[in-house]
Amino acid sequence: MNMLGTIALVTGATRGIGNAIASRLKAHGAELVVTGRDENLLEAWRKEGALAVAADVRDVRQVEELVEAIMKRHGRIDIVINNAGVTQDGLLMRMSDADWNKVIDTNLTGVFNVCRSVIRPMLKQRKGNIVNISSVIGVTGNAGQTNYAASKAGVIGFSKALAKEVASRNILVNVVAPGYIDTEMTQALTEEQRDEILRMIPLGKTGQGEDVASLVHFLVSEQNKYITGQIIHCDGGLVI
């Protein structure tokens, strides 16, 4: 699954799952463009030769400028991984407008902004591959995460519709829905919470960022020519 010569954009690539995905693609030869909020980690990516930009996916203009920079530097965009995401948990009755909007604007509208900006060059190329990162929560729901569940469920519906729109131009659009992956987010859970989660997972363990990265790698590689519009769970069997 050699990625030599491909141009790959990974949003939210400075930590967790996004960093694992970007590292995996780079290790297999992809030319990387990454975004994120940690300037120190962006600088580390620059030293690795990546085009690293602190673009906010909520901001249409910043996204458009990012895509313009990619096209100026590389002339095309082959792969897009929409991974940027946030949580702002709380019970619905206490959830503020700001908490709702921050999660929806980042997790769902951010995917819309990026896809709308990259789809034109992909259509001209008559080829492209988009993977949008959702979550098991977008399928099962979770108390205290109505905003997050809504955003991640929205990513699934959005991706299915987009897959139908662009399939005739040989552009694949898929969704990866991770379960409980060992990242900064899950490390913040209490031991009691982690034990409860593990009891729900048939494999009896949390996943690693590399588990998600290897799945994404397959989906965007030349090995995948016929999978589009799918939601693929990487969750240790949680949804079953």
Side-chain angles (χ1 to χ4, degrees):
M1 297 193 289
N2 196 320
M3 308 297 292
L4 282 173
T6 60
I7 310 304
L9 166 62
V10 184
T11 70
T14 54
R15 62 187 62 201
I17 291 172
N19 186 68
I21 293 170
S23 298
R24 173 90 179 199
L25 298 184
K26 183 183 187 321
H28 288 266
E31 291 281 341
L32 283 181
V33 181
V34 299
T35 73
R37 292 177 289 172
D38 190 318
E39 184 55 41
N40 289 330
L41 292 174
L42 285 175
E43 183 58 31
W45 274 117
R46 292 182 190 113
K47 291 178 180 178
E48 293 289 328
L51 174 60
V53 182
D56 186 341
V57 296
R58 297 174 297 178
D59 188 312
V60 174
R61 188 56 199 154
Q62 288 188 37
V63 172
E64 291 175 345
E65 289 174 351
L66 171 65
V67 173
E68 289 170 4
I70 297 170
M71 295 303 293
K72 182 176 181 180
R73 178 165 172 170
H74 296 292
R76 68 184 193 281
I77 303 173
D78 302 305
I79 296 162
V80 174
I81 315 297
N82 279 301
N83 173 74
V86 297
T87 57
Q88 203 72 40
D89 298 346
L91 296 176
L92 180 62
M93 64 183 293
R94 297 176 187 152
M95 187 173 292
S96 67
D97 290 350
D99 288 346
W100 172 269
N101 291 331
K102 180 179 180 180
V103 173
I104 297 297
D105 289 349
T106 304
N107 299 0
L108 181 55
T109 305
V111 172
F112 162 75
N113 288 338
V114 173
C115 286
R116 185 176 60 174
S117 294
V118 303
I119 208 66
R120 190 177 298 276
M122 284 187 171
L123 288 170
K124 289 181 179 178
Q125 294 164 190
R126 304 187 75 87
K127 186 177 183 181
N129 204 316
I130 298 171
V131 175
N132 296 325
I133 306 300
S134 179
S135 168
V136 64
I137 303 304
V139 178
T140 66
N142 193 39
Q145 290 191 301
T146 51
N147 49 2
Y148 187 75
S151 70
K152 293 301 188 178
V155 167
I156 291 172
F158 171 89
S159 301
K160 287 182 175 182
L162 181 58
K164 289 185 175 183
E165 285 188 18
V166 299
S168 64
R169 295 295 182 96
N170 197 34
I171 300 171
L172 308 180
V173 183
N174 288 291
V175 175
V176 170
Y180 289 92
I181 306 299
D182 192 14
T183 64
E184 292 93 336
M185 189 183 300
T186 55
Q187 288 167 6
L189 298 173
T190 66
E191 185 175 346
E192 182 180 355
Q193 289 172 321
R194 289 178 65 86
D195 288 343
E196 179 62 27
I197 290 168
L198 290 175
R199 282 194 289 270
M200 297 187 294
I201 301 173
L203 284 183
K205 60 182 179 180
T206 56
Q208 302 299 314
E210 182 59 25
D211 296 321
V212 181
S214 61
L215 172 57
V216 171
H217 181 200
F218 165 73
L219 288 172
V220 300
S221 75
E222 287 297 321
Q223 294 294 308
N224 175 30
K225 300 179 184 297
Y226 205 57
I227 299 172
T228 194
Q230 301 304 305
I231 300 88
I232 303 176
H233 298 278
C234 184
D235 63 5
L238 179 60
V239 294
I240 62 173

